[in-house]
Amino acid sequence: MREILIRTTREVEVPAEALHALRKSSFEQWKEAGLTTSVTNCPVQTLARYLVGKAVFVAHDAKTGELLAMHTFRLNKKKHRASGANLAVSPAAKHEGIGTRMLEAEVERFRKAGYRFLAEATGIPAVWSVRWHLKNGYYITGYKRSEGNNYASYTFLKPIALDVLHHPTDIFWTRPLAPITAKLHYFVSFIITSLVKDRQGRLTWLGRRIKKG
Ligand SMILES: CC(C)(COP(=O)(O)OP(=O)(O)OC[C@H]1O[C@@H](n2cnc3c(N)ncnc32)[C@H](O)[C@@H]1OP(=O)(O)O)[C@@H](O)C(=O)NCCC(=O)NCCS
């Protein structure tokens, strides 16, 4: 197994250009599957601005120093939730368990810092990503459509707290209730999205466009 170092960009400096190149090459998989994604044509300056204030995890090859993976998080301390995005493994290193090992390190850090949930979203036709999330203990909790995307997305939640009864509502996110809670959440969000969004993600009400243009 490849030896890797998993750190945050607070601990190791990684130029925005390197993160940009990694993310772009990793997400070519989306383009090849016919999915619209701004990731493959987003300028490096836009990514650099986006990264400000985010927690950014990176994985490097311990021997060669090559940047192998990244994952960013928007932190909501009040809701004890870290929302992940930009999970990207270098094309040459996919399916080696690197994404999974990085997630394990992230969970450990976030638990210690008092976070109770990881959230994420991914395109439904990105089957490799959906499978990765389900395999790694995320529940599908929602359905959404965004304008400009030629696909609908699942939203996911992964409870990570060990002291699960610390907060009264956490009981709903603990087995055996968690799968039921997740399905109810998904059902409600599917109905709402179907009522207010068309297939292009534009606002509608019962199939009628609200905003023209
Ligand atoms: C999704 C991604 C991060 C997974 O990372 P990884 O390090 O390759 O995955 P791991 O080795 O940790 O896990 C492997 C598991 O992921 C899923 N998976 C990964 N690649 C897959 C593929 N091509 N087809 C189907 N499932 C796949 C499977 O569940 C697999 O388990 P299995 O071998 O038992 O079927 C990686 O494929 C990637 O960077 N893809 C492009 C960017 C992307 O889609 N990011 C997610 C957006 S939210």
Side-chain angles (χ1 to χ4, degrees):
M1 198 198 297
R2 199 197 284 253
E3 209 182 310
I4 57 170
L5 294 171
I6 300 165
R7 294 166 289 188
T8 69
T9 50
R10 282 179 172 224
E11 295 153 349
V12 57
E13 206 175 316
V14 184
E17 288 77 9
L19 294 170
H20 182 258
L22 168 71
R23 189 178 74 149
K24 189 172 186 312
S25 62
S26 181
F27 273 82
E28 281 297 323
Q29 192 176 0
W30 284 58
K31 246 170 107 179
E32 283 158 18
L35 305 176
T36 52
T37 169
S38 55
V39 164
T40 43
N41 54 19
C42 144
V44 64
Q45 296 84 348
T46 310
L47 176 64
R49 274 197 301 275
Y50 172 86
L51 294 176
V52 176
K54 306 282 189 312
V56 183
F57 286 80
V58 284
H60 287 90
D61 186 303
K63 284 206 182 93
T64 64
E66 185 193 350
L67 177 63
L68 295 175
M70 65 180 284
H71 199 184
T72 68
F73 288 89
R74 187 165 38 84
L75 305 178
N76 188 330
K77 192 87 192 172
K78 220 169 142 189
K79 292 189 173 170
H80 310 284
R81 192 169 60 206
S83 301
N86 300 298
L87 170 63
V89 174
S90 163
K94 282 180 188 172
H95 232 124
E96 284 184 29
I98 291 174
T100 302
R101 281 196 274 163
M102 198 156 71
L103 179 69
E104 283 163 4
E106 291 160 355
V107 166
E108 203 180 306
R109 297 273 191 112
F110 283 126
R111 263 189 195 140
K112 276 195 190 139
Y115 287 86
R116 312 184 71 74
F117 300 101
L118 297 189
E120 193 95 32
T122 204
I124 296 173
V127 282
W128 56 90
S129 175
V130 173
R131 280 181 62 174
W132 183 89
H133 283 87
L134 293 177
K135 191 179 177 190
N136 282 294
Y138 285 84
Y139 294 108
I140 295 174
T141 54
Y143 175 90
K144 65 176 187 179
R145 287 189 173 277
S146 306
E147 198 162 350
N149 288 353
N150 64 354
Y151 55 85
S153 297
Y154 286 140
T155 58
F156 295 92
L157 203 68
K158 176 178 165 72
I160 59 166
L162 291 176
D163 53 335
V164 285
L165 298 182
H166 173 83
H167 192 278
T169 58
D170 282 2
I171 185 77
F172 295 110
W173 289 109
T174 309
R175 284 192 169 274
L177 288 181
I180 301 165
T181 312
K183 281 201 175 70
L184 280 174
H185 250 261
Y186 175 78
F187 181 70
V188 171
S189 82
F190 180 82
I191 298 289
I192 293 174
T193 302
S194 304
L195 289 176
V196 303
K197 294 269 177 90
D198 67 9
R199 293 187 73 78
Q200 280 77 43
R202 297 171 303 198
L203 275 178
T204 63
W205 178 242
L206 297 173
R208 287 173 174 228
R209 287 278 300 284
I210 291 175
K211 263 195 326 193
K212 294 241 159 65

